[in-house]
Amino acid sequence: MAGLERALGQRVLRRGRHGCEPTAFGEALLPQARRLLAQVDAVNTLAAREHDRLRLGYAWSALGKHTTTLLREWRSDQPSIELHFEQHFTPTSGLTEGRCDVAIMRSPPDPTKFSSAVIGLERRHAVFSADDPIWAKRRSLRMREFAGRTVAAEPRSGTTKRELWDGGPAPASFITVADTEDWLNTLSAGEAVGVSAEATAVHHARAGVRFIPITDAPRIAVRLVWWRDESPSGIEALVEHTTRLYARG
């Protein structure tokens, strides 16, 4: 209190043999002090709540068929840490922007900034309008069959790049879409075809759009990513749990 008085240049308490009582300035300061203490308590409460909450960000798809299983099993295995999925349509699924604690990514992160763990591999699927004149009756495809087609892709966080067809017949052209909804609208209208991770079929199934496996496409590595200098609470358990889910198939 003496330090506060020196900093303010005002006496806050009148000290006597039988105790202390506020000065006139102290009386005026009391409501402000109470508000400040309440704000400090609110910050401490928020910090405590966030410490017990693990925000898992994703851009296009979360963990596909494993998403619900993880949520259910996590509540049982890790009751002290709330797991919360959040969609953030950025290259790092909201991690760079501070919107999540851990990101689900299907492209390699910057290793100078982030730590990561590959938790599983996913097949690539061809995605197209259900009444596509060429592929409507197909149950699987090969990469060379995209030759001459127009492919819709989202360059920021998507995994479909021209390099996928290096050394073989390639699509005739690529068009850029803004996000998942734009991509699905473009495909359902028959304006282009797409390629995506199998998890997308789980999270974004839509009438009029088909997802079928591409038998010879390289698999997509699914990663959990977090800041190198700030490992979130529960990250080891999360990596172990999600890796086990993908290993189950």
Side-chain angles (χ1 to χ4, degrees):
M1 185 60 68
L4 175 63
E5 289 177 327
R6 286 194 296 270
L8 295 174
Q10 295 279 353
R11 290 188 64 184
V12 177
L13 294 176
R14 186 177 296 108
R15 298 163 179 83
R17 294 175 58 185
H18 301 293
C20 300
E21 61 180 16
T23 63
F25 176 75
E27 290 283 2
L29 181 64
L30 188 57
Q32 303 291 338
R34 285 173 174 160
R35 280 195 289 270
L36 287 173
L37 289 173
Q39 290 174 350
V40 170
D41 285 342
V43 170
N44 288 334
T45 300
L46 177 62
R49 187 171 71 239
E50 289 301 309
H51 180 73
D52 297 334
R53 188 184 195 196
L54 193 57
R55 299 171 300 165
L56 189 51
Y58 66 96
W60 276 67
S61 306
L63 298 174
K65 64 182 181 181
H66 305 301
T67 304
T68 300
T69 304
L70 174 62
L71 285 170
R72 290 176 174 173
E73 294 183 355
W74 185 267
R75 291 191 189 103
S76 175
D77 295 347
Q78 302 290 333
S80 63
I81 302 177
E82 177 189 355
L83 185 63
H84 183 68
F85 282 86
E86 300 181 356
Q87 186 171 26
H88 302 294
F89 208 79
T90 73
T92 59
S93 302
L95 187 60
T96 299
E97 296 77 13
R99 298 177 183 174
C100 65
D101 307 300
V102 186
I104 300 169
M105 293 176 57
R106 290 172 171 81
S107 297
D110 182 348
T112 66
K113 296 180 179 179
F114 304 111
S115 296
S116 66
V118 175
I119 58 173
L121 300 175
E122 292 178 341
R123 293 185 301 174
R124 280 183 164 88
H125 277 56
V127 194
F128 50 90
S129 171
D131 61 357
D132 184 89
I134 303 173
W135 294 345
K137 296 182 179 181
R138 298 293 300 274
R139 294 190 177 183
S140 65
L141 288 170
R142 297 176 67 83
M143 290 296 288
R144 65 170 180 263
E145 295 183 80
F146 284 83
R149 303 302 303 261
T150 296
V151 171
E154 189 280 304
R156 292 179 299 168
S157 57
T159 58
T160 303
K161 314 290 183 184
R162 188 178 295 272
E163 291 76 15
L164 275 175
W165 287 270
D166 280 354
S173 60
F174 286 78
I175 60 175
T176 298
V177 295
D179 52 30
T180 314
E181 190 67 19
D182 187 19
W183 181 72
L184 287 168
N185 287 338
T186 300
L187 301 188
S188 63
E191 298 172 7
V193 298
V195 178
S196 191
E198 61 183 290
T200 306
V202 175
H203 292 284
H204 300 290
R206 174 182 287 195
V209 175
R210 289 193 61 203
F211 292 79
I212 63 174
I214 306 172
T215 58
D216 61 344
R219 301 224 170 182
I220 299 173
V222 184
R223 295 173 171 84
L224 294 182
V225 183
W226 61 96
W227 288 99
R228 288 184 63 89
D229 59 353
E230 191 177 347
S231 296
S233 177
I235 185 60
E236 293 181 359
L238 183 63
V239 170
E240 180 182 353
H241 205 132
T242 51
T243 300
R244 189 164 63 247
L245 287 176
Y246 272 93
R248 290 181 197 170

